[in-house]
Amino acid sequence: MKSRKITEKAVIITAAIGGVLILIMLIANTYWAYEQSTASTNQAVSAVSAFYLESMADRRAKTITNLINNNFDYMEKAVSVIDDEQIESQEDLRAAIGRMKNLLSLSRFALVDEEDIVYTQYTTYTGRSRHPFLANKTLDGRMISTVFRYGSSKDLCLAIPIDIKIMGKQFKACFVQIDINDIVGLLAFDDQESTHFALYSENGGNISETELGQFIGTKNIFDATNGNVSEEEWNSFRDDFANGKKGTLTFTINDVVDTICYEPVPDTGWELVVMIRESVIQDQFQEISKKSLADNRRQIIFILVVASLFSTLLFYMMRRIANDKLKEEKENSKAFKSMANTDSLTGVRNKHAYMETEAQLNSWIREGAVDKLALIVCDINGLKYVNDTQGHAAGDKLIKDACSLICNVFSHGSVYRTGGDEFVVLLSGKGYDTKDETIADFNRRVEENIKTNEPVVSIGYTTLQPNDEQVHDLFERADHMMYDRKKELKNMGAKTRES
């Protein structure tokens, strides 16, 4: 082929250009190494304060804020759903509260009527003496407070005003209480205890009961730092807590220098405090120095690699035609295999791909190499009815819309179309770990779709059990559960094969 012929002239030109490029790279890398050394010095100055302190404190304060905002949003959604239900007795109300708790993962969710009677999932009681926010006759907006349950246990109480009528009674508020220990779990570090954190009230009291380093521990932070910094710094530190400001403080206790960063948690009256041990600061400077040295070594290796690659390029040019042909054949083979395993209507994996995966999983199950595996059987409700009454084009659209719903919700799973209206989802890893929340979200969306005439999909699910010998064992259990779900959705008004 004349168009692919590599001439001697082309090789010489390539060699000349390569030599010039290597020379340019040597000069550029020398200049780059100098700039990198300067940048490393500047990085060392700002590394501790920028990364360890401000970033950690700010992110964890935002974590609490996001948790609070999410719970407020969930409460408003729960109240809206309960207001729409036909509730005629306290048993109905408790059941509705329980469903909302489970569905939205709310902690200690309750409603309060105009007589300050508190309604929870399990009981009813007078709440004026137990909940400080009820001291106000009316609740003007969102309210956040810290409450004591018993002993030293503390809760974060979130309350909002509502205006709904249930069982002939006017309800004025709802609230949730979040265990402080649950919040602490969200903020925990994983760095061999080199970094510590704690939540404090405006007066310096430790709310989270987490130890802030070896010397402060769980003590009042003002008492622990008093006398270990100048009076001016200490007074400024207390003023920042009282006024919800952020800042840093360096102090010395028993000849050990520690640095803390404090960040206010909006609307709670809390300050999140993060402490970095002195050894971590030293390690950061050492790590940056080592990185700079490693960068220089990498530059030398890089030049050697480039020279080797250039030599390899000359050889590659003589072998290019054969390699291009081989590559083209491999790509064609891969494309054909992908087409064989892809459902043409939905674009997800087809039954052939599922059978290959099933065979591989069966082998791993026999070898005991599978630990976490969940299987979900999906069946589209009313596909035959749509095909018969609206035509197969409408039926194809229903299949594609249902597939999009399955793929969007089970985004961490492998989706297969195994029949006309049947899909299978396999979950492992992250998809397995979040399966309960994902399945609950899917069923909630499906039940909402009944009202809006959008795709309704019945699902059954199960997980790998010790006595399972093959994937089909999981499929049978999930398939039975799916048919039970189909009957349940039919009773809710979902389409069936006939109507």
Side-chain angles (χ1 to χ4, degrees):
M1 298 291 291
K2 186 175 181 180
S3 61
R4 288 192 171 188
K5 186 176 180 179
I6 301 175
T7 64
E8 182 179 355
K9 180 179 179 181
V11 175
I12 294 174
I13 293 174
T14 302
I17 294 175
V20 173
L21 289 175
I22 290 176
L23 180 61
I24 293 174
M25 283 188 291
L26 284 171
I27 297 173
N29 281 318
T30 301
Y31 177 78
W32 183 88
Y34 169 78
E35 292 294 323
Q36 191 70 9
S37 177
T38 303
S40 295
T41 302
N42 295 331
Q43 182 183 5
V45 175
S46 60
V48 175
S49 60
F51 178 73
Y52 277 103
L53 294 177
E54 295 178 2
S55 178
M56 287 184 176
D58 179 68
R59 286 201 301 268
R60 280 158 178 79
K62 288 179 179 177
T63 296
I64 301 176
T65 299
N66 290 338
L67 174 66
I68 292 172
N69 290 335
N70 288 340
N71 272 269
F72 276 130
D73 292 341
Y74 291 157
M75 278 194 288
E76 292 175 353
K77 293 177 181 177
V79 170
S80 176
V81 172
I82 291 175
D83 189 28
D84 290 337
E85 295 189 3
Q86 299 296 326
I87 297 176
E88 299 178 353
S89 65
Q90 286 194 18
E91 289 72 18
D92 293 342
L93 180 56
R94 290 174 182 173
I97 291 174
R99 287 195 299 273
M100 291 302 100
K101 280 182 59 180
N102 294 332
L103 184 62
L104 300 177
S105 300
L106 294 173
S107 302
R108 191 172 172 76
F109 174 58
L111 301 179
V112 184
D113 67 16
E114 60 185 354
E115 297 177 352
D116 291 337
I117 302 300
V118 177
Y119 295 79
T120 70
Q121 180 181 2
Y122 302 107
T123 186
T124 304
Y125 60 88
T126 302
R128 186 177 295 111
S129 61
R130 297 175 59 176
H131 302 289
F133 74 88
L134 293 178
N136 299 329
K137 187 173 183 62
T138 59
L139 191 63
D140 295 329
R142 293 181 174 184
M143 179 171 290
I144 304 173
S145 60
T146 306
V147 297
F148 293 82
R149 284 188 285 119
Y150 50 83
S152 61
S153 298
K154 306 177 188 69
D155 282 346
L156 177 64
C157 180
L158 310 177
I160 60 172
I162 62 175
D163 184 14
I164 62 174
K165 183 169 288 188
I166 304 174
M167 303 179 303
K169 295 184 177 182
Q170 185 70 33
F171 283 74
K172 68 176 185 179
C174 76
F175 67 92
V176 296
Q177 289 184 198
I178 306 172
D179 193 325
I180 296 296
N181 291 327
D182 293 339
I183 298 176
V184 170
L186 294 175
L187 307 177
F189 293 99
D190 184 17
D191 54 4
Q192 294 76 48
E193 298 185 353
S194 60
T195 308
H196 307 269
F197 79 94
L199 291 168
Y200 290 91
S201 61
E202 295 177 354
N203 61 7
N206 190 315
I207 298 174
S208 60
E209 297 296 329
T210 51
E211 293 190 356
L212 193 68
Q214 177 181 359
F215 302 111
I216 294 181
T218 59
K219 295 183 293 186
N220 183 291
I221 195 169
F222 297 144
D223 295 340
T225 55
N226 189 18
N228 297 297
V229 295
S230 69
E231 183 176 354
E232 181 180 357
E233 290 177 315
W234 190 74
N235 288 332
S236 176
F237 179 45
R238 294 196 61 173
D239 289 342
D240 286 348
F241 265 57
N243 297 313
K245 295 182 179 180
K246 65 179 181 179
T248 59
L249 181 70
T250 299
F251 53 90
T252 303
I253 300 179
N254 295 344
D255 297 326
V256 175
V257 178
D258 283 317
T259 301
I260 63 173
C261 176
Y262 46 94
E263 180 86 19
V265 181
D267 302 322
T268 62
W270 298 350
E271 287 277 349
L272 173 65
V273 180
V274 178
M275 171 183 284
I276 307 298
R277 284 167 41 190
E278 183 183 21
S279 60
V280 176
I281 300 176
Q282 297 172 346
D283 290 343
Q284 279 294 302
F285 282 96
Q286 293 175 1
E287 184 65 26
I288 293 170
S289 297
K290 291 178 181 178
K291 181 178 180 298
S292 179
L293 179 60
D295 287 339
N296 291 332
R297 291 174 179 171
R298 279 195 290 268
Q299 296 312 307
I300 297 174
I301 295 174
F302 175 73
I303 297 301
L304 295 176
V305 170
V306 170
S308 299
L309 289 176
F310 176 69
S311 300
T312 304
L313 176 63
L314 298 179
F315 177 75
Y316 165 77
M317 293 175 69
M318 291 182 286
R319 297 287 303 273
R320 187 178 62 188
I321 295 177
N323 288 344
D324 285 349
K325 184 176 180 180
L326 179 61
K327 181 179 179 181
E328 182 178 353
E329 292 175 352
K330 289 182 178 179
E331 289 178 348
N332 289 337
S333 175
K334 183 177 180 181
F336 285 126
K337 183 176 180 181
S338 176
M339 292 174 61
N341 288 326
T342 301
D343 177 58
S344 59
L345 178 62
T346 62
V348 300
R349 298 176 180 89
N350 60 15
K351 188 172 183 178
H352 180 265
Y354 175 75
M355 293 173 66
E356 288 186 345
T357 303
E358 182 181 27
Q360 181 64 68
L361 288 172
N362 287 339
S363 175
W364 289 343
I365 291 173
R366 287 191 296 270
E367 295 170 2
V370 179
D371 182 18
K372 297 180 178 180
L373 177 66
L375 184 145
I376 302 171
V377 174
C378 311
D379 188 276
I380 303 172
N381 285 49
L383 177 61
K384 183 177 183 303
Y385 174 79
V386 172
N387 282 332
D388 292 343
T389 60
Q390 303 177 35
H392 286 277
D396 289 347
K397 183 178 184 304
L398 175 59
I399 293 172
K400 289 190 285 186
D401 290 345
C403 181
S404 296
L405 173 63
I406 295 169
C407 292
N408 289 338
V409 176
F410 296 104
S411 58
H412 295 295
S414 299
V415 180
Y416 303 81
R417 185 185 179 199
T418 57
D421 56 357
E422 299 171 354
F423 293 81
V424 172
V425 183
L426 295 175
L427 299 176
S428 61
K430 184 175 181 180
Y432 181 94
D433 294 337
T434 60
K435 62 183 183 304
D436 293 335
E437 297 89 344
T438 307
I439 290 170
D441 180 46
F442 186 90
N443 284 331
R444 177 181 60 78
R445 294 193 189 189
V446 165
E447 292 174 8
E448 292 175 352
N449 285 355
I450 295 175
K451 305 173 184 177
T452 58
N453 201 30
E454 294 182 43
V456 176
V457 181
S458 302
I459 66 170
Y461 52 90
T462 188
T463 59
L464 181 65
Q465 302 299 315
N467 59 342
D468 288 334
E469 298 179 354
Q470 56 186 348
V471 174
H472 189 67
D473 296 336
L474 284 77
F475 184 92
E476 287 188 338
R477 292 198 302 272
D479 196 50
H480 286 304
M481 183 178 180
M482 181 272 292
Y483 278 106
D484 291 338
R485 175 62 172 168
K486 186 174 283 289
K487 295 176 183 177
E488 182 181 354
L489 291 175
K490 178 181 178 182
N491 294 333
M492 294 181 184
K495 289 286 190 294
T496 64
R497 292 176 62 86
E498 293 76 27
S499 61

